[in-house]
Amino acid sequence: TSATMADGGYQSMRGSENTAQSTAFNSMVRCFAAVRSLEWSGLQRMSMRNIITSVLVAAAVFCVVVMAVYGSRSGNPWQQLPASAECADPQDVLTPSTALCQATNPWALAYLRGQGWANCAKGLPGVEILRNHADDNNNFWYPYKQREQIRQVYRSCTPICATQDDTYHSESQMCIVRNPVARMWLAGLGQTCSTSSRGATYISKASTEGNGITANSKAPAYIYAPANAASVGRFYRTCSASCAIGDALSSDKVHCLVHDKDALDFFGDGNDKCLNKGPGVNSISNTQDGGYYYPQKMGPVIQAWYLTCKRGRGLSV
């Protein structure tokens, strides 16, 4: 079957099967027509009954032989495959008439179709097998006997998220937003991003039902499908850091002055409501007049730290 696919393609193979089967059927019809003709002739010549009987038997045998020959050439479309016949993945579909499996792995298909949001190891034999069995609809097939080579391809494939900082969560098959500015903007906690970017519409808030995405998160978590990574990446490029909510931009236009009451209480009284370590609190410095400031680019990180203060006071944020 693989040789036929390589020489003529999947559609040519199916066309040859149909032609052979049609020829076999026509031969059968002609054989039985001949038998009926001989039978009628025998009835007209009762004196030659024995001869006619012999001819009928010979004609019937000839028809059976013709059907067997053509059947072996065309192949049985409902052929019985061995019990060991299976595809590389349970989701792949095995077609008994061709002994081919249709590849359904989303990452492998994205890579083979050049869609840009998945990557697979180069140089694997299975990649070439799939490419050699592509049909006109951009579907990819492989002989079930070569499933191990295809499994190697599947294991090597990984989705590509919008940036290297974003991480892929295998359980949900989604990418997690790690861009701090975008996370705060999506949560309605300040920062600046374009409201017209289509990429933002592909992002949704992660469920809090113990899927591991929101565990130990100090800010709301957001996810998106890898297939939308390119659009999400363009959305990220519209974002820029600003001061945390309530804080003011200093006169140098590159620092922000801390006005958040919980944060000022933390520095003044040493209360235990705010997280006392981490990049947020470590980014804040003293001013000469006793105030506090931080680089504007750290705005989303400071905002995330402020959330720990609010939660420390029992607020749901």
Side-chain angles (χ1 to χ4, degrees):
T1 303
S2 301
T4 305
M5 287 292 296
D7 293 338
Y10 177 71
Q11 296 298 331
S12 298
M13 181 189 69
R14 294 304 299 270
S16 298
E17 286 186 5
N18 294 335
T19 300
Q21 291 170 4
S22 176
T23 301
F25 178 77
N26 292 334
S27 298
M28 180 186 70
V29 171
R30 286 195 296 271
C31 282
F32 281 102
V35 170
R36 292 294 301 277
S37 176
L38 288 172
E39 183 181 17
W40 175 251
S41 177
L43 290 173
Q44 290 181 324
R45 298 172 179 83
M46 297 298 292
S47 62
M48 301 182 66
R49 181 180 299 274
N50 292 337
I51 297 175
I52 293 299
T53 300
S54 299
V55 171
L56 288 175
V57 171
V61 170
F62 175 75
C63 289
V64 171
V65 171
V66 169
M67 288 300 298
V69 171
Y70 278 106
S72 63
R73 290 180 180 178
S74 63
N76 184 355
W78 296 277
Q79 60 181 300
Q80 292 295 319
L81 296 177
S84 60
E86 62 179 17
C87 298
D89 185 270
Q91 300 300 318
D92 292 356
V93 180
L94 175 61
T95 303
S97 63
T98 62
L100 293 176
C101 294
Q102 183 177 0
T104 59
N105 183 281
W107 319 137
L109 291 177
Y111 172 73
L112 291 166
R113 292 167 179 167
Q115 294 174 334
W117 53 271
N119 194 27
C120 301
K122 296 177 175 61
L124 292 177
V127 173
E128 202 62 27
I129 291 171
L130 290 167
R131 284 178 172 158
N132 287 339
H133 291 81
D135 62 23
D136 294 338
N137 295 319
N138 214 16
N139 296 314
F140 294 85
W141 305 76
Y142 60 91
Y144 77 87
K145 292 182 179 180
Q146 295 179 308
R147 57 184 174 271
E148 285 303 323
Q149 292 95 318
I150 306 305
R151 283 173 181 155
Q152 291 179 1
V153 175
Y154 288 175
R155 287 193 291 266
S156 77
C157 297
T158 56
I160 300 174
C161 296
T163 66
Q164 292 183 344
D165 293 330
D166 288 359
T167 54
Y168 176 68
H169 188 258
S170 58
E171 183 179 343
S172 64
Q173 297 188 349
M174 303 290 276
C175 290
I176 303 177
V177 175
R178 297 298 189 197
N179 184 294
V181 177
R183 288 179 71 182
M184 291 300 149
W185 183 85
L186 290 164
L189 298 170
Q191 306 310 303
T192 303
C193 295
S194 172
T195 58
S196 61
S197 175
R198 186 176 182 180
T201 65
Y202 296 126
I203 300 174
S204 59
K205 191 172 183 179
S207 170
T208 58
E209 297 178 357
N211 54 16
I213 297 177
T214 57
N216 301 319
S217 176
K218 300 178 181 62
Y222 293 88
I223 56 177
Y224 58 91
N228 298 321
S231 294
V232 172
R234 288 190 289 270
F235 161 66
Y236 286 171
R237 290 191 285 275
T238 71
C239 299
S240 59
S242 59
C243 298
I245 295 176
D247 292 348
L249 187 65
S250 67
S251 58
D252 64 7
K253 305 299 182 183
V254 293
H255 290 88
C256 298
L257 302 176
V258 176
H259 288 173
D260 185 86
K261 183 178 183 304
D262 290 316
L264 292 175
D265 289 344
F266 171 82
F267 289 117
D269 302 331
N271 65 61
D272 59 356
K273 304 301 182 185
C274 304
L275 190 68
N276 59 9
K277 59 182 179 180
V281 64
N282 293 340
S283 299
I284 298 177
S285 305
N286 295 72
T287 61
Q288 291 184 349
D289 59 1
Y292 299 90
Y293 70 99
Y294 55 88
Q296 183 182 10
K297 65 181 181 181
M298 297 298 292
V301 178
I302 300 299
Q303 186 67 66
W305 179 65
Y306 287 175
L307 292 179
T308 69
C309 304
K310 307 297 185 287
R311 290 170 181 163
R313 293 197 294 111
L315 299 179
S316 177
V317 291

